[in-house]
Amino acid sequence: MSTVTLKDITNLCKRRGFIFQSSEIYGGIGSVWDYGPLGIELKKSVKDMWWKSMVYDRDDVEGLDAAILMNPETWRASGHIGSFADMMVDCLKCKKRFRIDSFKGKKCPECGGDITDPKGFNLMFKTRFGAVEGEAQEVYLRPETAQGIFVNFENILNTSRRKLPFGVAQIGKAFRNEITTGNFTFRSREFEQMELEFFVKPDEDEKWYEYWLGERMKWYASLGIRKENLRLREHAEEELAHYAKKCHDIEFLFPMGWSELEGIANRKDYDLSQHAKISGKDLRFFDVAENKRYTPYVIEPSGGVDRAVLAFLVDAYRAETVKERKRVYLSLDKRLAPIKVAVLPLLKNRPEIVEMAHRIRDDIRGNYRVVYDDTAAIGRLYRRQDEIGTPYCVTVDVDSLNDEKVTVRDRDTMEQTRVAAAGLKKFFEEKLGE
Ligand code: GAP
């Protein structure tokens, strides 16, 4: 079990500006979160690294950004209107609602009151579409980004002239009116997904399924998640979603225990066949080599951006004692660190030092976030940067004015190196691989 608690992470996120409760001044709104100045950088880097590995580093994947609002027929076809529901009971006394699988017995676990018979509670958020009251149509906020890809299958195929196998990648918001929330951002009502729908020949599904299991495990490990904190868990027959032939979860050892980070499913030809049936459009692929039409199978690695961000934070959290003082630092992969370099003047009352520090900050910024900070003594400034995972601090001191050299401090080892100020841009380009 990891030693960091969810409370450590929640406190750090709030104190340092990674994640805040949504509309906090009004008391918040359940399980909806805002990403602050550092959170947005971390989240953006996670998405950029996913996009790089899924789209830029490959030649068999196209990108898409589909709308959140879709024709409601989409959700009838996908099965979400019929079966995207949790079985719930309501307490007649305290009016609380519970998932049926969350307790045993026939009385309310909170107040002992009588409960209703179980009924299905659909997890999709509904809203009204159109300006005229009474004529407005009910639409849904998408509960997964995947369907935007399936309904665009033909558009993408026609415009990109792809052959099988090929994939479509998308990152975007999804919404679920979750009943059991909690564990910080782990289960939110508004969240982001990074999904790939990889279309394959039906008889090649198992091979590609295995391939994506391996690729996705490697992606998390390549960005620093320790192998002992990652595992694959296969879904039992009764756990499988209505569309899935097979499914594995990539699980991470969160502070509350092993929990799902990403799902990898073999969706067969379920979605394309359903959309073909309901829309009346032929969504089969014409295989020129075999001179026949068929509906491709789909392998889907579907990850949550917010869960990935949380996992990277948990995995990177380190607490140690240095010279009898507690040091907390985030050992984030440099590519994910919100701020890459902090430039710090040793003495803020010496204008020449401050001026040189500003000059250095201006010189090295451009491709990534560089900050200047003189709001505390140097020891405090280092601790602040350690805690938010900044890989390098540059300190300008009195000697710098004479030798034009500065001290570069490494976050993980705390090692300090003197580097010529003029060579810093190149130094960081090499270190940060930008
Ligand atoms: N298209 C398939 C799909 O949506 P899912 O297992 O329901 O499958 C995929 O969701 C991923 O989305 C999950 O592995 C998780 O990372 C993320 N996710 C799902 N519900 C979430 C929630 N309420 N809050 C945060 N992330 C969520």
Side-chain angles (χ1 to χ4, degrees):
M1 187 60 129
S2 103
T3 49
V4 54
T5 66
L6 216 45
K7 200 154 180 243
D8 294 329
I9 298 294
T10 317
N11 286 345
L12 175 73
C13 283
K14 166 111 173 88
R15 204 157 26 85
R16 293 295 189 211
F18 280 92
I19 301 173
F20 310 119
Q21 221 188 341
S22 161
S23 33
E24 193 181 333
I25 59 166
Y26 292 107
I29 175 168
S31 295
V32 185
W33 303 95
D34 295 342
Y35 286 77
L38 297 181
I40 174 67
E41 295 294 342
L42 173 57
K43 195 183 193 198
K44 184 175 168 298
S45 301
V46 168
K47 293 191 279 186
D48 287 349
M49 294 314 295
W50 186 88
W51 196 260
K52 177 174 156 28
S53 83
M54 288 301 195
V55 184
Y56 298 163
D57 290 349
R58 310 182 59 91
D59 55 15
D60 55 2
V61 173
E62 301 286 349
L64 177 74
D65 182 20
I68 287 170
L69 299 175
M70 301 178 74
N71 186 309
E73 287 295 271
T74 309
W75 308 112
R76 195 157 70 84
S78 68
H80 282 84
I81 288 180
S83 53
F84 194 56
D86 280 343
M87 292 307 284
M88 311 295 304
V89 292
D90 290 327
C91 172
L92 293 168
K93 196 167 152 203
C94 73
K95 309 289 179 208
K96 288 226 170 92
R97 180 165 277 173
F98 304 92
R99 261 162 80 148
I100 189 73
D101 57 8
S102 67
F103 71 98
K104 295 189 174 66
K106 295 201 163 28
K107 296 282 181 196
C108 170
E110 300 247 329
C111 75
D114 289 331
I115 54 170
T116 60
D117 288 335
K119 54 177 182 265
F121 180 84
N122 197 291
L123 298 184
M124 283 195 294
F125 280 101
K126 262 188 210 164
T127 188
R128 297 173 70 73
F129 194 85
V132 185
E133 191 60 38
E135 285 175 20
Q137 192 185 14
E138 273 191 338
V139 296
Y140 299 93
L141 302 187
R142 66 180 177 199
E144 62 171 11
T145 59
Q147 298 304 324
I149 298 179
F150 297 128
V151 300
N152 274 295
F153 174 70
E154 210 189 7
N155 286 334
I156 295 172
L157 195 62
N158 290 341
T159 50
S160 66
R161 287 167 283 121
R162 286 282 180 182
K163 291 196 183 67
L164 298 183
F166 79 96
V168 181
Q170 176 168 221
I171 301 177
K173 290 265 185 175
F175 303 82
R176 295 183 191 177
N177 199 1
E178 300 280 2
I179 306 305
T180 36
T181 52
N183 291 328
F184 198 25
T185 55
F186 180 82
R187 199 177 302 283
S188 308
R189 294 198 167 98
E190 173 175 341
F191 56 98
E192 259 184 294
Q193 290 186 313
M194 328 183 255
E195 298 200 295
L196 175 75
E197 307 302 327
F198 199 74
F199 301 97
V200 302
K201 287 186 180 178
D203 59 355
E204 292 184 354
D205 63 332
E206 286 175 16
K207 176 181 97 180
W208 284 107
Y209 183 79
E210 290 303 317
Y211 169 82
W212 281 109
L213 290 184
E215 285 299 294
R216 297 303 303 144
M217 286 291 276
K218 267 193 266 168
W219 184 79
Y220 289 104
S222 75
L223 286 171
I225 302 245
R226 288 164 290 188
K227 290 215 168 76
E228 64 270 25
N229 290 341
L230 281 176
R231 73 177 187 194
L232 274 173
R233 185 184 69 80
E234 184 167 4
H235 281 207
E237 192 78 30
E238 62 277 11
E239 231 186 312
L240 286 174
H242 58 279
Y243 51 75
K245 171 176 163 185
K246 214 172 173 184
C247 186
H248 275 79
D249 285 345
I250 296 183
E251 293 188 332
F252 174 74
L253 187 53
F254 285 98
M256 64 280 187
W258 287 101
S259 312
E260 175 186 347
L261 192 52
E262 166 159 348
I264 296 156
N266 180 345
R267 292 182 84 122
K268 305 173 290 183
D269 56 356
Y270 177 83
D271 302 271
L272 289 179
S273 301
Q274 280 293 106
H275 287 303
K277 195 163 103 192
I278 304 284
S279 70
K281 292 264 182 334
D282 184 356
L283 298 180
R284 288 174 303 168
F285 171 77
F286 181 65
D287 190 323
V288 182
E290 295 187 24
N291 194 27
K292 65 175 187 195
R293 257 177 217 288
Y294 53 81
T295 308
Y297 268 38
V298 172
I299 308 302
E300 176 195 65
S302 168
V305 179
D306 311 78
R307 283 194 194 173
V309 166
L310 188 58
F312 285 120
L313 285 171
V314 167
D315 203 85
Y317 190 93
R318 307 275 191 283
E320 61 182 22
T321 307
V322 180
K323 294 188 189 140
E324 290 170 33
R325 292 194 67 158
K326 188 177 170 198
R327 177 172 99 107
V328 170
Y329 68 105
L330 290 182
S331 181
L332 286 170
D333 185 284
K334 289 169 194 164
R335 292 164 294 178
L336 299 181
I339 292 169
K340 310 290 188 221
V341 183
V343 185
L344 318 169
L346 193 67
L347 302 166
K348 72 167 174 183
N349 52 6
R350 289 282 299 266
E352 321 89 279
I353 292 183
V354 169
E355 189 273 326
M356 187 174 174
H358 279 141
R359 191 157 35 87
I360 288 171
R361 190 249 344 249
D362 293 349
D363 180 41
I364 58 180
R365 76 175 164 199
N367 290 333
Y368 41 80
R369 194 89 209 268
V370 179
V371 296
Y372 167 90
D373 192 2
D374 65 7
T375 57
I378 193 73
R380 190 120 178 241
L381 293 179
Y382 281 153
R383 279 203 298 284
R384 214 182 261 173
Q385 296 301 330
D386 283 347
E387 218 188 3
I388 62 173
T390 305
Y392 298 105
C393 289
V394 171
T395 309
V396 182
D397 55 26
V398 180
D399 288 344
S400 308
L401 299 174
N402 299 319
D403 65 5
E404 281 284 322
K405 287 185 173 167
V406 291
T407 302
V408 176
R409 174 184 177 272
D410 181 288
R411 172 197 68 198
D412 296 343
T413 61
M414 291 190 290
E415 246 172 47
Q416 305 200 354
T417 330
R418 287 296 275 183
V419 177
L424 273 179
K425 198 179 171 86
K426 188 145 183 289
F427 177 87
F428 287 125
E429 270 166 13
E430 277 163 21
K431 292 276 187 197
L432 297 164
E434 302 270 346

